[in-house]
Amino acid sequence: MSDPILEVKDLHTGVEEKEILHGLNLTVGAGETHVIMGPNGAGKSTLGSTIMGDPRYKVSSGSVIFKGEDITNLSTDKIAKKGMFISFQNPIEVPGISLSNFIRTAIENKTGEHLRVWDFQKTLKATMQVLNMDPSYAERDLNVGFSGGEKKKAEILQLLMLKPDLAILDETDSGLDVDAVRTVSKGIEEYKKQIGGALLIITHSTRILESLKVDKTHVLVEGRIVADGDASMVDDINENGFEKYIK
């Protein structure tokens, strides 16, 4: 295993009085692709959101270490600046801010450097072509009126433009048709090829994994990782489900 980029240590997380994650441990090496699978309500999205500093989830004990630094109590914006990214199951609409301006501002906040408009627009256009996105979407309000597939493409566009060291993809393929899954998968594959960052993929489906080399698979049940394995575990779950892990 390569040097760890992410270490989750004995993490206990909950909402109000309800604990959802019960002493969870997870280590992701730099450049690795890890998959989190599990039944509904297992705590998969809670894990991703907690790592990314979502204030809705309170950490009662344990820690999250990113690139050797304890980020457990940092805000989401500060975590993002350090090189982490998350895509959401249901990306929100942001009226009044274009997709182009949103991405440009995010890059400038991350790097602390001013982007030349011409260079940014050129790179944005080329990246949108990779995802088969209509260029006009760049000037539309972020996710407003976008179809489900276009929202997910916009998330992957942000991933490719921001170039994070670690990307958490939460049900990115949820609700997509076959063609949209193929396009999104191509974008994720491009991220691995161009940037070589680490991936933590939270998913029910395995369609998005077909073009990726999975280093490790984890099964999450009732707030605990109950099994770890390699890519072959994905095939086992596809064939036999989660029943033996739940038991």
Side-chain angles (χ1 to χ4, degrees), residues 64-79:
V64 179
I65 311 296
F66 180 54
K67 297 195 291 189
E69 180 182 350
D70 190 332
I71 61 166
T72 311
N73 297 311
L74 290 186
S75 60
T76 299
D77 61 317
K78 290 178 180 176
I79 294 172

Side-chain angles (χ1 to χ4, degrees), residues 84-103:
M84 195 184 296
F85 172 91
I86 189 168
S87 74
F88 298 100
Q89 256 180 289
N90 301 299
I92 63 170
E93 298 184 359
V94 186
I97 301 177
S98 71
L99 174 59
S100 174
N101 284 340
F102 178 82
I103 293 175

Side-chain angles (χ1 to χ4, degrees), residues 70-198:
D70 190 332
I71 61 166
T72 311
N73 297 311
L74 290 186
S75 60
T76 299
D77 61 317
K78 290 178 180 176
I79 294 172
K81 285 180 181 179
K82 291 182 182 297
M84 195 184 296
F85 172 91
I86 189 168
S87 74
F88 298 100
Q89 256 180 289
N90 301 299
I92 63 170
E93 298 184 359
V94 186
I97 301 177
S98 71
L99 174 59
S100 174
N101 284 340
F102 178 82
I103 293 175
R104 186 180 171 204
T105 300
I107 294 172
E108 289 182 338
N109 283 334
K110 180 189 172 189
T111 63
E113 299 175 1
H114 177 71
L115 285 175
R116 292 173 56 187
V117 176
W118 169 255
D119 292 337
F120 169 74
Q121 293 291 350
K122 183 179 178 181
T123 303
L124 181 66
K125 183 178 179 180
T127 308
M128 293 182 79
Q129 287 176 345
V130 171
L131 297 172
N132 295 321
M133 286 188 74
D134 183 332
S136 66
Y137 276 79
E139 302 312 317
R140 290 178 57 176
D141 287 358
L142 179 61
N143 293 327
V144 176
F146 287 24
S147 67
E150 294 299 343
K151 285 181 179 180
K152 298 300 177 71
K153 286 182 184 180
E155 295 267 284
I156 301 303
L157 177 66
Q158 294 166 45
L159 168 68
L160 292 174
M161 292 293 292
L162 284 164
K163 299 178 170 60
D165 299 308
L166 169 68
I168 302 169
L169 307 182
D170 186 4
E171 302 285 0
T172 300
D173 52 353
S174 174
L176 301 184
D177 61 29
V178 174
D179 290 335
V181 167
R182 190 176 294 118
T183 300
V184 167
S185 296
K186 182 181 177 184
I188 297 170
E189 191 177 3
E190 202 67 25
Y191 165 74
K192 291 296 291 186
K193 189 187 303 179
Q194 290 183 16
I195 298 142

